[in-house]
Amino acid sequence: MENQKLIRIFSAVFFLLFTAIASQAVTAVEPLAKITVEAAKHTRIDTPVSVALDGISCTELRLEEIKGSERIPVPIQLEPGNPARLWWIVSGVTQAGGKRVYELVRGESIKKPVPASPAVEVIKNDSFLQIQLGGRKVLRYNSAIVPPPEGASPLYARSGFIHPLWSPQGAVLTKINPKDHLHHMGIWMPWTKTIFEGREVDFWNLNEGEGTVRFVKFISTASGAVYGGFRAKQEHVDLKAPGGEKVALDETWDVRVYNLGESGRASGRERV
């Protein structure tokens, strides 16, 4: 009798302990949010998406894609802000009219680790900032002044532009200072016909000596599993303002490279 009593007590304790553990497990995987991404009228391929994390703590968050009974870990990246934003790639092909379902959960509730994904990396030195994807060069932003070709006017010196821009196969897609257009500088965005304080200023044709554009500072940089990039402040400078040079326009560049994963690299589809 005594042994039977002990067995019943042990069974009851085990049942309570098992119930408590099961309850904790259910709580751990309970989603913080369910997110549905709809393709609408167009087929989507490796599409970057984001959601604002209003009212959700940004520590130890993980994302799972729900496919039937399967839960697939998804690489994510947090963008600081108020509120912060959660970024990820809707990977592969999502047909027009289709949808993808995700759940946001906390901490280590996902048993499988998030798949390894080559990071989009920002590398910066005193001359330039370079973005790489999985160790492969994507683009270079020139923060330092690049001198003109030998014998050319010093007016052609310029900073604040992208060159080189590389193809997925490593070919250089941009050029600077071509012989017939020395003022062209890779990917750049100077205003041409402008009026500042009643004066006409040309920031594009550098040889006119009226204006130029200069890099000032990096506002922020980011590297991660989903994207890498930078925000940079530039100035459009009126070179012939009375009393000396004068800043006519403050400009912010916001440049990102998204990691589209293996399917994107196989078909040469990085997005900048």
Side-chain angles (χ1 to χ4, degrees), residues 2-15:
E2 189 68 26
N3 287 340
Q4 291 178 351
K5 185 177 181 180
L6 288 173
I7 290 172
R8 285 198 297 273
I9 292 172
F10 177 79
S11 298
V13 171
F14 178 80
F15 176 78

Side-chain angles (χ1 to χ4, degrees), residues 195-258:
I195 296 177
F196 174 59
E197 295 182 343
R199 299 181 301 277
E200 292 187 4
V201 185
D202 186 343
F203 299 98
W204 177 285
N205 294 290
L206 301 176
N207 58 309
E208 299 294 333
E210 295 179 1
T212 190
V213 180
R214 294 173 183 159
F215 165 80
V216 178
K217 66 177 181 179
F218 288 109
I219 300 169
S220 63
T221 62
S223 297
V226 178
Y227 70 86
F230 65 92
R231 295 180 72 230
K233 179 181 178 181
Q234 300 185 160
E235 292 176 342
H236 279 60
V237 183
D238 179 357
L239 298 176
K240 293 186 175 181
E245 296 180 358
K246 187 172 185 179
V247 175
L249 175 70
D250 288 323
E251 178 182 46
T252 299
W253 272 28
D254 192 341
V255 178
R256 290 188 180 185
V257 172
Y258 292 96

Side-chain angles (χ1 to χ4, degrees), residues 47-98:
T47 306
V49 296
S50 71
V51 294
L53 296 177
D54 289 297
I56 297 177
S57 171
C58 296
T59 58
E60 298 183 352
L61 296 180
R62 304 189 70 169
L63 191 68
E64 298 171 313
E65 182 173 9
I66 310 303
K67 289 188 175 180
S69 61
E70 190 176 7
R71 306 177 72 91
I72 303 170
V74 177
I76 60 175
Q77 188 167 339
L78 294 174
E79 179 183 2
N82 187 21
R85 298 194 70 85
L86 179 76
W87 285 86
W88 73 98
I89 304 295
V90 179
S91 61
V93 178
T94 307
Q95 296 295 338

Side-chain angles (χ1 to χ4, degrees), residues 9-268:
I9 292 172
F10 177 79
S11 298
V13 171
F14 178 80
F15 176 78
L16 289 172
L17 181 61
F18 177 81
T19 302
I21 292 173
S23 176
Q24 290 175 2
V26 169
T27 302
V29 297
E30 196 170 299
L32 297 169
K34 185 175 182 178
I35 306 166
T36 300
V37 180
E38 297 182 350
K41 297 180 180 180
H42 304 283
T43 295
R44 313 290 178 173
I45 302 174
D46 288 340
T47 306
V49 296
S50 71
V51 294
L53 296 177
D54 289 297
I56 297 177
S57 171
C58 296
T59 58
E60 298 183 352
L61 296 180
R62 304 189 70 169
L63 191 68
E64 298 171 313
E65 182 173 9
I66 310 303
K67 289 188 175 180
S69 61
E70 190 176 7
R71 306 177 72 91
I72 303 170
V74 177
I76 60 175
Q77 188 167 339
L78 294 174
E79 179 183 2
N82 187 21
R85 298 194 70 85
L86 179 76
W87 285 86
W88 73 98
I89 304 295
V90 179
S91 61
V93 178
T94 307
Q95 296 295 338
K99 64 181 180 180
R100 309 280 283 271
V101 179
Y102 302 85
E103 286 186 352
L104 186 62
V105 297
R106 282 200 189 282
E108 300 301 321
S109 59
I110 301 175
K111 293 182 180 180
K112 293 191 298 182
V114 172
S117 179
V120 187
E121 184 182 12
V122 168
I123 301 170
K124 185 158 62 78
N125 59 29
D126 293 337
S127 298
F128 58 80
L129 178 150
Q130 187 162 290
I131 302 180
Q132 300 184 169
L133 174 56
R136 182 162 46 83
K137 295 181 289 189
V138 178
L139 65 84
R140 177 180 296 174
Y141 172 82
N142 294 273
S143 53
I145 292 177
V146 176
E150 185 177 356
S153 168
L155 290 171
Y156 290 111
R158 180 69 153 75
S159 64
F161 62 93
I162 291 173
H163 172 77
L165 173 69
W166 288 274
S167 76
Q169 289 73 37
V172 175
L173 303 176
T174 53
K175 189 174 183 179
I176 62 172
N177 302 131
K179 291 182 179 180
D180 56 342
H181 287 77
L182 287 176
H183 58 291
H184 284 192
M185 305 296 289
I187 298 176
W188 62 325
M189 298 179 187
W191 292 94
T192 308
K193 295 182 178 180
T194 68
I195 296 177
F196 174 59
E197 295 182 343
R199 299 181 301 277
E200 292 187 4
V201 185
D202 186 343
F203 299 98
W204 177 285
N205 294 290
L206 301 176
N207 58 309
E208 299 294 333
E210 295 179 1
T212 190
V213 180
R214 294 173 183 159
F215 165 80
V216 178
K217 66 177 181 179
F218 288 109
I219 300 169
S220 63
T221 62
S223 297
V226 178
Y227 70 86
F230 65 92
R231 295 180 72 230
K233 179 181 178 181
Q234 300 185 160
E235 292 176 342
H236 279 60
V237 183
D238 179 357
L239 298 176
K240 293 186 175 181
E245 296 180 358
K246 187 172 185 179
V247 175
L249 175 70
D250 288 323
E251 178 182 46
T252 299
W253 272 28
D254 192 341
V255 178
R256 290 188 180 185
V257 172
Y258 292 96
N259 178 13
L260 301 187
E262 292 299 330
S263 60
R265 284 191 289 279
S267 59

